[in-house]
Amino acid sequence: MIIKRFYNERIESLCTRLLYFMNTIDSYCIVAGVLSFLAMSWINGKEINFPFFIALSIAIYLCFKISDFYPAYLFFTPLFLFFFYKLPTFNILLTLNLLGINIMAFVIIQTLFMGIPDAIIARDSTIPIRKIYNSFFTIAPTTVSFLMSVYFSSLISFTLYYNPNPFIDPWQLGLWMSLLGAAFITRMLRPKNFISLDSRPSITKSQVNRVILLNIDGCRLDRFQEAKLPFLSSLEKESSYFPRGLQTVYRALTNPAFASILTGTIPQVHGILDNNLGGYIKVEAIPDLVETILYGSMHVKHFSKTHWKTKIVSLPTHSIYRTDDIVFDMLKKDLLNSNGTRLFIADLSEVDFLGHAYGSESYQYLQALQRTDTRIADFFSWIETHGLLKDAVVIICSDHGIIRIDHSYLLFKAEKFVPCIVVGKGIKKDNTLVFEASIMDIAPTISYLLGIRYPDHCRGHVLLEVLDENESNVNSSPHCREGLSITNG
Ligand SMILES: [Zn+2]
């Protein structure tokens, strides 16, 4: 009731932005680190030299940005501690106190900006405690990871409190050199994006009138297969599918990965590097080229360009358990009424959300997969009743996987590989595809199917292997799979 009374889409959009500002490590660590430093200075009556404090904040933050907050940075900790120990201002008790304040900041911020909102959306008051517990075992560049959040914010607090001046003595210079050197080494150790070799035939005609993309958000391939979902398993006989999955992109978060699905290129090119404020798609994407409607929770609005047609379902108003049903209802209505629209993209949220709330190893995540399977089964029986599959292709995929309660660094297979099933007019049935492919191959494949041009920065490979050669006049000869390469993204 209270939610409905005060709700409007602008407020939800703002709140979601704020949530992700406090969730993303790039912004979280500076807020928590500076606040912890100010709290400690206030407790101890320490005077703050503001110009120097600002210069130090910028310098340490630059080091972290260079490292991209990648966990390899943590391996250099003994070196940093050695140099901190050599500073004349260093004090072990103070260090432990600063660490304690940073842990408190973590618990408060995580509970306020993640635990409580998630409890409201899932209507389950145990979620804040579950999240705190699971955050000890989660490694991600977000406030869902205890280790990463407390590490980077504490390092900021230490630097600000002990204010090492590199111009005073070699130990202080040594600290800065190690912080910076470690950052550059860490940057080189980041995961490389897998990009399929360019293979995009010239497009002369459309293969189908419509494409429907169903994205099961946060669906890890291994759990998807273990679940033995009744409908989606049975759909394999009717479809072309990837038992080894598609690979997602780094950082494997919804907004960057979805933007890669729509543009066919890596985050460094399309411009959305995380879920935070400030990232927007800078290059051409499929919805720029063909009339498209995108459905889902507020995320969808945040990665979409402002002129795209989006239909958003409010998570707090409807709860996570109703959201995907509403998405399907809207989608069905538009499939019957929006004649000019040729691409429909639905982001299904329940699997991802329950993964973040309970863990992707949990029974709840498995149940969300089961319910999503049932929803897709109902949707397929509906489109078949209405004869809509006669001139359409449905792609069922995911943007990224998940491990424990988060995802991003691609440290584990569970984050990296996602399912992909293609079914519909002209698609080869019972067709197992085992070559390496990427979520970036989806954009050129949609272009090819709809007979529109490829987005201007699109890379990768049209998945011609899904096409039934008897039904289409495309030459999908095996040679187009040659030379797949792993390219540095
Ligand atoms: Zn996602």
Side-chain angles (χ1 to χ4, degrees), residues 173-187:
L173 181 66
L175 175 64
W176 281 109
M177 295 304 286
S178 60
L179 287 167
L180 189 64
F184 279 109
I185 296 170
T186 303
R187 191 175 184 83

Side-chain angles (χ1 to χ4, degrees), residues 215-219 252-255 257-258 275 299 347-348 352 356 398-401 407:
N215 185 72
I216 308 172
D217 205 302
C219 182
L253 297 164
T254 300
N255 294 4
F258 231 111
N275 289 339
H299 257 313
D347 185 37
L348 308 173
D352 180 75
H356 284 293
S398 182
D399 46 350
H400 54 78
H407 44 87

Side-chain angles (χ1 to χ4, degrees), residues 26 112-113 119 134 151 179 200 209 228 314 318 349 356 370 380 473 486:
D26 305 56
L112 282 180
F113 292 93
N134 273 311
Y151 181 83
L179 287 167
R200 296 186 296 279
N209 181 34
K228 299 204 179 348
S314 163
H318 298 289
S349 303
H356 284 293
Q370 299 282 0
F380 265 81
N473 50 10
I486 294 170

Side-chain angles (χ1 to χ4, degrees), residues 223-359:
R223 289 293 271 164
F224 175 83
Q225 288 168 339
E226 281 162 31
K228 299 204 179 348
L229 302 168
F231 177 71
L232 289 174
S233 307
S234 73
L235 195 61
E236 287 173 357
K237 287 194 290 292
E238 303 296 316
S239 67
S240 290
Y241 64 102
F242 293 78
R244 288 167 59 191
L246 303 185
Q247 295 191 39
T248 188
V249 293
Y250 173 83
R251 290 181 183 175
L253 297 164
T254 300
N255 294 4
F258 231 111
S260 287
I261 291 175
L262 299 178
T263 60
T265 191
I266 55 171
Q268 287 82 349
V269 174
H270 65 58
I272 301 189
L273 301 173
D274 54 41
N275 289 339
N276 216 342
L277 280 165
Y280 60 93
I281 298 181
K282 296 181 180 75
V283 300
E284 210 166 59
I286 298 279
D288 294 321
L289 305 172
V290 68
E291 199 172 317
T292 304
I293 307 177
L294 300 102
Y295 309 82
S297 68
M298 194 52 73
H299 257 313
V300 170
K301 201 161 196 102
H302 291 166
F303 64 69
S304 292
K305 295 185 185 176
T306 46
H307 62 274
W308 293 356
K309 196 167 179 182
T310 54
K311 296 199 173 179
I312 304 304
V313 183
S314 163
L315 287 171
T317 310
H318 298 289
S319 96
I320 189 61
Y321 300 105
R322 288 269 304 126
T323 298
D324 293 342
D325 291 323
I326 298 170
V327 162
F328 274 118
D329 287 346
M330 293 192 299
L331 174 61
K332 286 179 190 169
K333 214 170 144 193
D334 290 341
L335 279 166
L336 294 179
N337 300 322
S338 303
N339 287 330
T341 307
R342 298 188 62 207
L343 178 59
F344 301 82
I345 299 172
D347 185 37
L348 308 173
S349 303
E350 189 180 327
V351 169
D352 180 75
F353 191 92
L354 294 198
H356 284 293
Y358 299 96

Side-chain angles (χ1 to χ4, degrees), residues 22-43:
M22 296 307 276
N23 173 268
T24 309
I25 195 142
D26 305 56
S27 39
Y28 164 82
C29 80
I30 194 84
V31 173
V34 168
L35 284 179
S36 302
F37 157 74
L38 291 174
M40 196 65 182
S41 304
W42 178 72
I43 291 166

Side-chain angles (χ1 to χ4, degrees), residues 12-13 48 51 98 151 161 178 196 205 214 286 293 388 443 487:
E12 186 172 337
S13 177
I48 300 168
L98 274 168
Y151 181 83
Y161 205 90
S178 60
S196 304
K205 69 178 188 75
L214 301 178
I286 298 279
I293 307 177
L388 294 172
T487 323

